[in-house]
């Protein structure tokens, strides 16, 4: 059997992403396990080798054959990326802003389809939309403040609606 081809990165189990970063992945038991995305192909290859050692792969399947033990492979591999609650909160916030921007673009397309030559009304339309959002945000904060003061609240401790109380005032662009 001929040796397996190594990808464009030059390492086994490492692929180049369109963004220019490198993804490490390994196949085990009919599944493809993604090990993470790294800035350099060497870091991704080290992560692959650590996983290959855990799966007891032979030395010929390693990217760096000079590594002699699982402990050494794990020591040389980059630390795993841990996602905490703060990362999740930031991600949700970014996703909300993206959704708002996409909704604005959709509304703008609808407006242009209805009124192709009316730029003055477009500004008024979006000013009204921003005012409606501000009003909705104030209402959500008032509800969250009421729930905070209410000892019999039905909201769980990790409910994302609590964020309406703690978020700083946002710009009028939202």
């Amino acid at each position: 059997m001929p040796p397996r081809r190594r990808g464009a990165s030059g390492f086994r189990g490492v692929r180049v992403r369109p963004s220019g970063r490198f993804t490490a992945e390994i196949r085990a038991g009919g599944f493809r396990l993604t090990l993470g995305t790294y800035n350099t192909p060497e870091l991704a290859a080290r992560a692959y080798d650590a996983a290959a050692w855990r799966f007891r792969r032979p030395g010929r399947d390693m990217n760096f054959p000079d590594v002699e033990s699982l402990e050494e492979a794990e020591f040389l591999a980059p630390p795993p990326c841990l996602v905490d609650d703060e990362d999740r909160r930031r991600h949700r916030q970014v996703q909300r802003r993206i959704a708002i921007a996409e909704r604005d673009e959709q509304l703008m397309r609808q407006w242009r389809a209805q009124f192709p030559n009316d730029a003055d009304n477009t500004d008024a339309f979006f000013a009204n939309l921003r005012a409606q959002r501000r009003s909705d945000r104030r209402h959500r904060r008032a509800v969250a403040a009421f729930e905070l003061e209410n000892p019999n609240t039905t909201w769980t401790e990790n409910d994302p609606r609590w964020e309406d109380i703690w978020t700083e005032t946002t710009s009028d662009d939202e």
Side-chain angles (χ1 to χ4, degrees), residues 18-49:
S19 64
R21 296 188 71 197
F22 300 87
T23 300
E25 54 188 35
I26 190 169
R27 292 188 178 273
F31 294 99
R32 183 173 62 189
L33 303 172
T34 301
L35 305 172
T37 304
Y38 303 93
N39 293 328
T40 65
E42 290 80 15
L43 289 176
R46 294 281 183 194
Y48 174 86
D49 280 2

Side-chain angles (χ1 to χ4, degrees), residues 43-110:
L43 289 176
R46 294 281 183 194
Y48 174 86
D49 280 2
W53 271 99
R54 285 188 207 107
F55 287 118
R56 301 186 190 281
R57 297 280 172 87
R60 67 179 182 272
D61 286 349
M62 305 292 176
N63 289 307
F64 301 100
D66 56 334
V67 176
E68 298 178 357
S69 68
L70 171 61
E71 292 77 23
E72 187 179 356
E74 288 178 342
F75 177 75
L76 294 172
C81 177
L82 301 176
V83 178
D84 59 3
D85 290 335
E86 180 65 19
D87 292 332
R88 287 186 188 98
R89 186 192 66 76
R90 265 190 254 119
H91 180 71
R92 277 195 310 268
Q93 190 176 33
V94 167
Q95 292 301 315
R96 274 191 223 119
R97 289 182 179 171
I98 290 172
I100 289 170
E102 288 173 350
R103 180 68 177 144
D104 280 349
E105 289 173 7
Q106 180 185 10
L107 290 171
M108 191 66 167
R109 282 192 301 274
Q110 289 175 354

Side-chain angles (χ1 to χ4, degrees), residues 115-146:
F115 307 101
N117 297 324
D118 201 358
D120 295 335
N121 287 337
T122 303
D123 294 335
F125 175 77
F126 281 105
N128 186 21
L129 187 63
R130 281 192 297 275
Q132 179 65 35
R133 285 193 187 133
R134 270 188 244 114
S135 173
D136 291 347
R137 198 175 319 128
R138 285 187 194 113
H139 175 73
R140 285 194 318 269
R141 285 185 182 152
V143 169
F146 174 78

